[in-house]
């Protein structure tokens, strides 16, 4: 009986296997799992990355495993960074920071049933999206004081997607005068800031990740409003008109203006327009007297009063009068300046003539009395006393002398003055020697000792063909430099010779615009000053006499970026020197003076 049961079981087993082999498409119902599907997922960088539950037909029970985990760049190195629940099939990422945020990942899932294993390719696809969103700021009432401290931008709302709340806010590359509340995003001004507009960029940490939003708002910092009229004093007759235009009008865009005469006085027909231009027409018939006029400017709801903005004196008979606020102004040859009369009171039909002769680049406007000095003119040093003549039918010629004084003055700044009597070279100097084809005997670069009063370089002669450059250089940074000069004395111990084929020019002074002050002098291209007097007659190098180089004007093209770069060079190329000329020389120089001239601000007295 047992043998019959055993035989029946074996026969049934082989019959099932036979059916499977004859049914590769599984049309006969089996326990294999044919399909597993996960909805594709997109996560924020800091989210818990957990897949949705898989969708499948489960009739007999199934367990799950990760077969492969890879991205569309071919990287499968993160296989150990994912785990799957064997019972539910839910997949989780252990460390999301290790995933490539610019790639899409795919998981191949293996399912196991009583009938065996099935692999489902790309059952789950997932990726990481950058956190994006918006911040919405409103601007509170602006303040017109740079010293103001308080809130300047109020965060109304922030949106970074559903279920992605903000954790904190941080300013990015902000001016030191601004601060952000990390919890609510409001921005405050916490210290003095120069007036101007400032772009605000905010870094936001959300529950899903971090993002930076640039130019989310502009912070406008205002200075105290300014309103200045020049001239601000008008002396007129009762039938004269005036027009006063502001020469300075700061932080008053969009302002409205009103006039108020001090002392409860009234000036008939006095008016001010939207540009702060004040007018008083002819034949206004106001009484003789002095009127001090205040201006009240209202901008963004704030009122600012400018007391005695102008003064109007009405007289019965006017005499020619012109005056300037400045008694004397000293300028560099390159400094611009404008003189505007504080009083320009003239009878009708006056003809105004400047009797002082001004050079080209200085102009006089007889309509307003202003004197304009253009910038970067390189004027010669001089003093101009301003004299004006006013001619009118009623008064004839009225000379107005010594109204103001213009002084053009070049101020020298000595950068280096050295008679070479120190034991060692000054720290100003940078030395470099470059030798080709004679490494063992490099010779002496420029040097000085207590036993001599000059800087020396030896250009010895050795066997072989070699080339040597011995440099000594100075490099200075001078703000607003416009001119520089150099002078020095120099000598050589042996006569320098020349023929039709060859000239001995072994010593030179040179300039460069780009030298950075490092020791690698030879890496830069230097241009020789052909105007320098270089000694060619041999002398007692220790005792002289030395030859003066002359006062050498350094071309402005070498003074760019406010740099003054000078290099003295002793150079011999033994590959080029004819045999009959091959001999050693010692060069020396001293009494160096390097002078700079700069553009400076006007000095007003």
């Amino acid at each position: 009986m047992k043998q019959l049961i055993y035989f029946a079981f074996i026969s049934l087993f082989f019959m099932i296997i036979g059916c499977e082999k004859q049914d590769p498409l599984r049309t006969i119902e089996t326990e294999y799992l044919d399909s597993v599907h996960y909805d594709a997922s997109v996560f924020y960088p800091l989210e818990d990355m957990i897949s949705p539950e898989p969708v499948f037909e489960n009739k007999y029970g199934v367990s799950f495993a990760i077969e492969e985990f890879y991205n569309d760049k071919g990287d499968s190195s993160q296989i150990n960074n994912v785990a799957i629940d064997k019972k539910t099939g839910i997949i989780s990422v252990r460390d999301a920071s290790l995933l490539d945020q610019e790639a899409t990942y795919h998981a191949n899932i293996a399912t196991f049933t009583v009938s065996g294993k099935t692999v489902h390719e790309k059952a789950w696809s997932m990726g990481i999206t950058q956190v994006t969103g918006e911040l919405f700021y409103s601007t509170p009432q602006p303040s017109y004081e740079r010293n103001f401290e308080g809130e300047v931008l109020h965060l109304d709302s922030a949106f970074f997607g559903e279920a992605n709340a903000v954790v904190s806010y941080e300013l990015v590359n902000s001016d030191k005068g601004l601060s952000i509340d990390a919890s609510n995003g409001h921005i405050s001004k916490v210290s003095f800031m120069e007036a101007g507009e400032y772009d605000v960029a905010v870094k936001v940490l959300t529950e899903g990740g971090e993002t930076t939003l640039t130019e989310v708002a502009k912070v406008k910092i205002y200075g105290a409003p300014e309103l200045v009229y020049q001239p601000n004093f008008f002396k007129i007759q009762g039938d004269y008109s005036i027009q006063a235009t502001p020469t300075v009008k700061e932080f008053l865009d969009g302002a409205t203006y009103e006039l108020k005469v001090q002392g409860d006085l009234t000036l008939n027909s006095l008016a001010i327009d939207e540009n702060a231009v004040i007018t008083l027409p002819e034949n206004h018939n106001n009484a003789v007297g002095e009127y001090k006029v205040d201006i009240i400017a209202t901008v963004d709801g704030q009122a600012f009063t400018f007391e005695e903005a102008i003064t109007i004196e009405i007289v019965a008979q006017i005499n020619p009068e012109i005056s300037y606020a400045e008694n004397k102004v000293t300028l560099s040859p390159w400094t611009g300046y404008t003189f505007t009369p504080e009083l320009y009171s003239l009878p009708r039909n006056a003809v105004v003539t400047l009797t002082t002769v001004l050079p080209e680049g200085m102009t006089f406007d007889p309509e307003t009395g202003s004197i304009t000095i253009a910038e970067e003119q390189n004027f010669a040093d001089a003093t101009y006393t301003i004299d004006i003549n006013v001619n009118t039918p009623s008064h004839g010629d009225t000379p107005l002398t010594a109204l103001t004084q213009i002084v053009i003055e070049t101020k020298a700044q000595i950068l280096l003055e050295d008679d070479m009597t120190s034991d060692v070279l000054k720290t100003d100097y940078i030395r470099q020697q470059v030798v080709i084809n004679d490494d063992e005997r490099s010779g002496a670069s420029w040097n000085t000792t207590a036993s001599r009063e000059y800087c020396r370089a030896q250009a010895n002669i050795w066997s072989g063909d070699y080339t040597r450059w011995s440099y000594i250089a100075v490099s200075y940074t001078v703000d607003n430099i416009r001119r520089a000069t150099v002078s020095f004395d120099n000598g050589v111990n042996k006569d320098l010779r020349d023929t039709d084929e060859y000239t001995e020019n072994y010593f030179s002074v040179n300039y460069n615009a780009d030298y950075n002050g490092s020791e690698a002098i030879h890496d830069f291209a230097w241009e020789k000053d052909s105007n320098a007097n270089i000694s060619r007659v041999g002398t007692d190098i220790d005792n002289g006499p030395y030859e003066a180089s002359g006062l050498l004007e350094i071309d402005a093209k070498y003074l760019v970026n406010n740099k003054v770069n000078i290099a003295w060079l002793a150079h011999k190329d033994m590959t080029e020197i004819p045999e009959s000329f091959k001999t050693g020389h010692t060069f020396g120089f001293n009494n160096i003076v390097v002078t700079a001239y700069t553009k400076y601000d006007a000095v007003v007295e």
Side-chain angles (χ1 to χ4, degrees):
M1 184 65 182
K2 287 182 180 180
Q3 288 179 341
L4 287 174
I5 293 172
Y6 179 75
F7 178 78
F9 176 77
I10 292 299
S11 299
L12 179 60
F13 175 76
F14 280 106
M15 182 177 67
I16 293 172
I17 292 176
C19 290
E20 292 250 349
K21 288 181 179 180
Q22 295 171 14
D23 189 16
L25 297 179
R26 300 180 184 173
T27 56
I28 299 174
E29 184 177 290
T30 69
E31 296 177 353
Y32 283 97
L33 187 59
D34 290 328
S35 175
V36 171
H37 169 73
Y38 296 78
D39 289 337
S41 305
V42 179
F43 299 100
Y44 288 123
L46 297 183
E47 275 188 299
D48 291 333
M49 296 183 182
I50 300 173
S51 75
E53 292 186 5
V55 178
F56 59 93
E57 293 183 3
N58 183 4
K59 295 184 178 180
Y60 303 102
V62 61
S63 63
F64 299 86
I66 299 289
E67 184 75 10
E68 289 184 89
F69 186 71
Y70 57 95
N71 64 27
D72 52 8
K73 298 181 180 180
D75 181 7
S76 58
S77 63
Q78 296 298 312
I79 182 66
N80 294 322
N81 194 24
V82 290
I84 192 168
D85 189 297
K86 294 181 179 180
K87 293 182 178 181
T88 65
I90 295 176
I91 307 167
S92 59
V93 177
R94 292 187 174 95
D95 186 351
S97 67
L98 299 179
L99 299 186
D100 186 343
Q101 295 188 18
E102 297 180 355
T104 300
Y105 285 84
H106 307 284
N108 294 347
I109 304 301
T111 59
F112 299 88
T113 66
V114 294
S115 298
K117 172 183 176 182
T118 303
V119 176
H120 309 272
E121 293 187 357
K122 293 187 177 180
W124 183 47
S125 295
M126 60 85 70
I128 303 171
T129 183
Q130 296 295 326
V131 176
T132 59
E134 294 180 286
L135 299 176
F136 300 94
Y137 279 96
S138 63
T139 305
Q141 188 74 16
S143 169
Y144 286 81
E145 295 296 337
R146 284 169 282 180
N147 292 307
F148 160 85
E149 294 183 10
E151 186 177 296
V152 291
L153 286 173
H154 186 86
L155 182 61
D156 293 331
S157 63
F159 180 75
F160 293 90
E162 298 295 336
N164 186 29
V166 174
V167 176
S168 64
Y169 301 88
E170 178 184 345
L171 285 180
V172 179
N173 297 328
S174 172
D175 187 277
K176 292 181 179 179
L178 297 177
S179 177
I180 193 168
D181 190 308
S183 62
N184 58 34
H186 302 330
I187 297 173
S188 297
K189 180 174 171 294
V190 294
S191 61
F192 174 86
M193 292 173 65
E194 291 292 344
E197 283 192 354
Y198 298 83
D199 288 325
V200 176
V202 179
K203 182 188 293 184
V204 184
L205 178 63
T206 73
E207 293 174 348
E210 187 177 86
T211 186
T212 297
L213 303 180
T214 59
E215 298 184 4
V216 295
K218 289 183 181 291
V219 173
K220 293 184 179 181
I221 303 298
Y222 295 89
E226 294 184 70
L227 187 62
V228 178
Y229 294 84
Q230 192 70 18
N232 63 355
F233 184 86
F234 299 86
K235 183 179 286 189
I236 61 174
Q237 294 178 187
D239 56 349
Y240 282 18
S241 67
I242 66 166
Q243 178 173 297
T245 302
T247 54
V248 177
K249 189 173 70 168
E250 294 287 345
F251 308 112
L252 289 170
D253 291 345
T256 58
Y257 303 94
E258 59 180 302
L259 299 171
K260 181 180 179 181
V261 182
Q262 292 183 4
D264 294 326
L265 299 176
T266 300
L267 271 174
N268 297 325
S269 303
L270 186 69
I272 187 169
D273 67 12
E274 68 275 8
N275 297 313
V277 176
I278 303 171
T279 55
L280 185 64
E282 292 183 348
N283 301 315
H284 47 81
N285 295 321
N286 285 292
V288 170
E290 185 176 83
Y291 301 85
K292 298 182 183 298
V293 181
D294 299 341
I295 298 177
I296 302 169
T298 302
V299 58
D300 290 331
Q302 297 185 59
F304 302 93
T305 299
F306 301 93
E307 296 184 355
E308 294 187 28
I310 66 169
T311 298
I312 302 172
E313 183 180 356
I314 301 175
V315 296
Q317 179 67 43
I318 192 168
N319 296 315
E321 288 186 77
I322 300 174
S323 65
Y324 294 88
E326 306 92 342
N327 293 319
K328 175 183 175 182
V329 176
T330 302
L331 307 168
S332 81
W334 308 275
T335 304
Y337 195 80
T338 298
F339 293 81
T340 303
E342 62 179 356
L343 175 63
Y344 201 62
S345 178
L346 304 172
R348 289 185 189 277
N349 303 315
V351 177
V352 181
T353 305
L354 178 69
T355 54
T356 303
V357 178
L358 296 177
E360 185 177 349
M362 297 187 190
T363 58
F364 173 74
D365 184 352
E367 294 296 323
T368 63
S370 62
I371 302 169
T372 302
I373 301 172
E375 294 196 45
E376 308 301 341
Q377 295 297 298
N378 197 14
F379 294 112
D381 283 11
T383 298
Y384 304 94
T385 299
I386 301 302
D387 299 332
I388 294 175
N389 184 72
V390 180
N391 180 274
T392 62
S394 58
H395 294 77
D397 287 330
T398 303
L400 303 173
T401 60
L403 298 178
T404 188
Q405 196 174 64
I406 304 169
V407 178
I408 304 298
E409 182 180 341
T410 302
K411 296 183 180 180
Q413 177 183 352
I414 302 299
L415 303 179
L416 174 65
E417 193 168 17
D418 191 0
D419 58 7
M420 293 293 178
T421 56
S422 175
D423 290 354
V424 294
L425 285 171
K426 291 185 175 183
T427 57
D428 300 55
Y429 298 108
I430 305 157
R431 290 180 292 173
Q432 184 186 15
Q433 183 162 248
V434 178
V435 180
I436 298 177
N437 294 333
D438 199 298
D439 295 334
E440 294 183 3
R441 292 175 295 180
S442 61
S445 63
W446 289 104
N447 65 87
T448 187
T449 69
S451 63
R452 65 178 76 96
E453 296 182 356
Y454 64 95
C455 189
R456 182 186 71 176
Q458 292 175 297
N460 298 328
I461 178 171
W462 309 304
S463 60
D465 292 333
Y466 65 90
T467 304
R468 183 176 70 176
W469 296 263
S470 292
Y471 295 94
I472 185 169
V474 290
S475 179
Y476 299 101
T477 299
V478 184
D479 289 340
N480 291 314
I481 188 168
R482 294 296 185 276
R483 179 180 168 227
T485 62
V486 59
S487 64
F488 56 92
D489 296 339
N490 67 98
V492 61
N493 70 327
K494 294 180 183 178
D495 287 356
L496 295 176
R497 300 171 295 162
D498 57 82
T499 66
D500 292 339
E501 294 80 21
Y502 186 75
T503 299
E504 291 187 328
N505 289 319
Y506 300 140
F507 178 49
S508 60
V509 59
N510 309 270
Y511 314 120
N512 174 275
D514 303 316
Y515 182 52
N516 57 13
S518 72
E519 295 183 0
I521 308 170
H522 193 61
D523 291 346
F524 294 82
W526 296 83
E527 185 167 331
K528 175 182 175 181
D529 191 333
S530 58
N531 295 317
N533 296 323
I534 302 298
S535 175
R536 298 182 57 81
V537 178
T539 63
D540 180 352
I541 195 71
D542 289 318
N543 299 301
Y546 277 32
E547 182 165 341
S549 68
L551 184 65
L552 304 174
E553 187 83 24
I554 301 176
D555 196 303
K557 67 182 180 181
Y558 300 115
L559 304 179
V560 297
N561 302 320
N562 290 327
K563 298 289 289 186
V564 180
N565 295 320
I566 305 172
W568 290 268
L569 170 62
H571 174 221
K572 272 199 172 183
D573 185 349
M574 300 301 285
T575 65
E576 300 292 336
I577 298 175
E579 288 296 329
S580 61
F581 279 72
K582 289 187 177 181
T583 184
H585 289 90
T586 299
F587 302 101
F589 71 105
N590 60 14
N591 294 328
I592 304 167
V593 180
V594 180
T595 307
Y597 302 89
T598 60
K599 176 182 178 180
Y600 56 84
D601 293 336
V603 179
V604 181
E605 300 177 22

